[in-house]
Amino acid sequence: MPGGVSSPVRAFQAVGGDPPVIERGEGAWLIDVDGNRYVDYVLSYGPLILGHAHPSVVGAVSAAARRGTSFGAPNPLEIELARVIRETMPHVEKLRFVNSGTEATMSVLRLARAFTGRPRFLKFQGNYHGHADHLLVQAGSGVATLGLPDSPGVPQQVTVNTMVAPYNDKAALHRIFGEFRGDIAAVIVEPVAGNMGLVEPAAGFLQELRSLCDKYKVLLVFDEVMTGFRVHPRGAVALYGVVPDLVALGKVIGGGLPVGAYGGRADIMSRVAPEGPVYQAGTLSGNPVAMAAGLATIFELQEAGVWEGLEARGEQLVRGLAEAARAAGVPLQVSRVGSMFGFFFSEQPVRDYRDAKASNVEQFRTFFHAMLNAGVYLAPSPFEAAFLSTAHGEEEIQLTLEAARRAFVEVAESDG
Ligand code: PMP
């Protein structure tokens, strides 16, 4: 296995050292093969909003598996999950299940190009939309960590129609929309950016995108793979009041199993095969085991008080982190949107990829290892968001803040 891992960021290349090998997860905790226990803020990079091995998810998955894992035919659980998503996100009038976020974004852009008959699309620096060839341009996340501006093996012909703008930069949007009018099929955006660390949309940024898309008849695509059921029970659309034409979903809707989806306006989605000519397919798409995990997860989230609990714990945590950094004299930018949070070792607010890259990576490394040694597992890169689950309780938060107080002191001392 290249780097000993199945996905690059897991290899600790950005922070040094070797990753623990995880044997099992219990609620908010990871347990490695040597028996060490860590409070987990990675949560498989987002999906596990109920924590590890939640009884409802385990029960639903085992019950589904006993009845057969995949049929290559319609099944009631996919119909039920589609219905629940549509009820929760009314702009998703029609949807198609796939097996990953990468498949969802790749397919949704194929559809947008087919629907508009236009070749180009716009993405933002530091937004990651999976690893399809034409999307691997200034892509943040693992790519940012490895310092690859792009990837070898992606021919230039494939990315000539990919345009890139700085996140949160309205002036750049106006220039690009004006210059390439008539050529742009879609804009794809992380409505809350979570792949360059956590970067919130500036006030009015998403609204401006919507109105430019309307003006130039460009489709607006929200990549809610990370933010869907994460930043708000109904996703970023409900939080910011901006409605896209199409969305990509993943992570939480699969409850820890491989699931993605894309959907949106029915007139556009009707162009997907077999209703329309835009081809897209998948052997295991919509399989009942994965659908059962997603359904169980969303049902638990919709229980009374669950979301409020997540918000309250999240607030307690980020406040505590900010206080601990201040007490140690370490400049830190902390932010949170729903159950996603992030921090940068930086004196300045972080609004885009350039700001994120200018943050102090050395301090992050020191902090990361101090936290890991104290039993707190953060993503091993300054360019990943952190996640909270409903399984994180008072004990876990207190342990985390205690560890952070010592870790920030270590950061301050290592600097001096
Ligand atoms: N879009 C976003 C916003 C993501 O965060 C990710 C994964 N981190 C993807 C797409 C790709 O999803 P996957 O890894 O499931 O292919």
Side-chain angles (χ1 to χ4, degrees):
M1 291 155 64
V5 292
S6 298
S7 194
V9 75
R10 299 177 195 172
F12 277 31
Q13 210 159 358
V15 290
D18 290 316
V21 176
I22 304 303
E23 189 179 67
R24 64 181 198 280
E26 286 170 8
W29 294 83
L30 288 174
I31 297 103
D32 72 16
V33 291
D34 300 317
N36 300 308
R37 295 169 61 85
Y38 310 90
V39 181
D40 183 14
Y41 292 100
V42 179
L43 297 167
S44 195
Y45 292 88
L48 302 175
I49 198 163
L50 306 179
H52 296 274
H54 189 282
S56 302
V57 177
V58 174
V61 164
S62 5
R66 273 195 293 272
R67 293 192 296 267
T69 55
S70 186
F71 309 130
N75 72 79
L77 291 172
E78 73 184 337
I79 296 168
E80 179 69 357
L81 184 56
R83 187 186 61 74
V84 168
I85 291 174
R86 197 191 55 187
E87 274 172 9
T88 316
M89 301 176 162
H91 53 286
V92 183
E93 296 168 350
K94 222 173 229 223
L95 70 89
R96 165 64 57 83
F97 287 113
V98 292
N99 303 290
S100 66
T102 293
E103 271 188 78
T105 53
M106 182 179 88
S107 311
V108 83
L109 284 175
R110 178 183 305 147
L111 175 62
R113 283 168 155 170
F115 185 80
T116 56
R118 298 172 177 181
R120 293 179 188 272
F121 67 86
L122 178 67
K123 74 176 285 292
F124 294 94
Q125 278 166 5
N127 277 195
Y128 177 69
H129 305 292
H131 64 85
D133 280 355
H134 55 301
L135 282 158
L136 268 188
V137 182
Q138 302 192 33
S141 198
V143 183
T145 302
L146 298 174
L148 302 176
D150 211 329
S151 171
V154 177
Q156 233 192 330
Q157 294 93 313
V158 178
T159 56
V160 286
N161 289 312
T162 308
M163 299 186 296
V164 184
Y167 197 69
N168 279 331
D169 184 341
K170 292 189 205 168
L173 287 181
H174 280 271
R175 273 200 311 277
I176 293 168
F177 273 80
E179 185 171 343
F180 296 97
R181 63 176 66 218
D183 261 1
I184 310 176
V187 178
I188 185 165
V189 62
E190 287 184 63
V192 177
N195 286 290
M196 47 177 159
L198 182 74
V199 179
E200 295 181 49
F205 175 64
L206 297 172
Q207 285 79 359
E208 190 79 4
L209 251 186
R210 180 69 270 180
S211 74
L212 280 169
C213 284
D214 288 340
K215 180 169 170 200
Y216 292 100
K217 309 235 173 327
V218 170
L219 297 178
L220 179 57
V221 181
F222 274 9
D223 181 347
E224 290 227 56
V225 168
M226 190 183 278
T227 57
F229 298 91
R230 259 284 167 206
V231 295
H232 182 280
R234 289 180 288 115
V237 172
L239 191 59
Y240 298 105
V242 175
V243 181
D245 301 291
L246 294 165
V247 293
L249 293 166
K251 299 199 192 253
V252 172
I253 65 159
L257 270 75
V259 181
Y262 63 103
R265 275 170 45 191
D267 62 324
I268 308 176
M269 288 303 294
S270 299
R271 305 293 277 272
V272 176
E275 275 182 56
V278 181
Y279 192 70
Q280 185 276 309
T283 300
L284 296 173
S285 297
N287 76 75
V289 177
M291 299 291 104
L295 273 171
T297 299
I298 295 174
F299 285 150
E300 285 292 332
L301 268 187
Q302 290 176 340
E303 290 288 314
V306 168
W307 192 267
E308 291 72 13
L310 260 179
E311 289 268 353
R313 288 267 183 258
E315 195 52 31
Q316 185 189 358
L317 184 62
V318 296
R319 273 205 198 160
L321 286 175
E323 268 164 34
R326 211 175 306 124
V330 175
L332 193 78
Q333 304 293 324
V334 191
S335 51
R336 176 183 74 87
V337 187
S339 59
M340 276 168 74
F341 65 99
F343 52 88
F344 289 101
F345 289 89
S346 166
E347 310 222 357
Q348 316 297 335
V350 174
R351 290 148 316 166
D352 60 20
Y353 193 42
R354 205 187 45 182
D355 295 345
K357 295 290 275 188
S359 68
N360 192 324
V361 174
E362 223 21 79
Q363 290 185 334
F364 177 85
R365 284 191 192 118
T366 303
F367 184 76
F368 169 84
H369 282 292
M371 294 297 275
L372 191 68
N373 288 336
V376 179
Y377 194 80
L378 298 165
S381 157
F383 308 116
E384 299 289 344
F387 301 97
L388 201 65
S389 82
T390 55
H392 288 72
E394 192 62 27
E395 179 200 343
E396 286 81 12
I397 302 287
Q398 290 311 335
L399 186 150
T400 305
L401 292 179
E402 189 48 46
R405 283 189 274 275
R406 289 195 304 268
F408 284 124
V409 170
E410 204 172 307
V411 168
E413 285 171 356
S414 72
D415 255 18

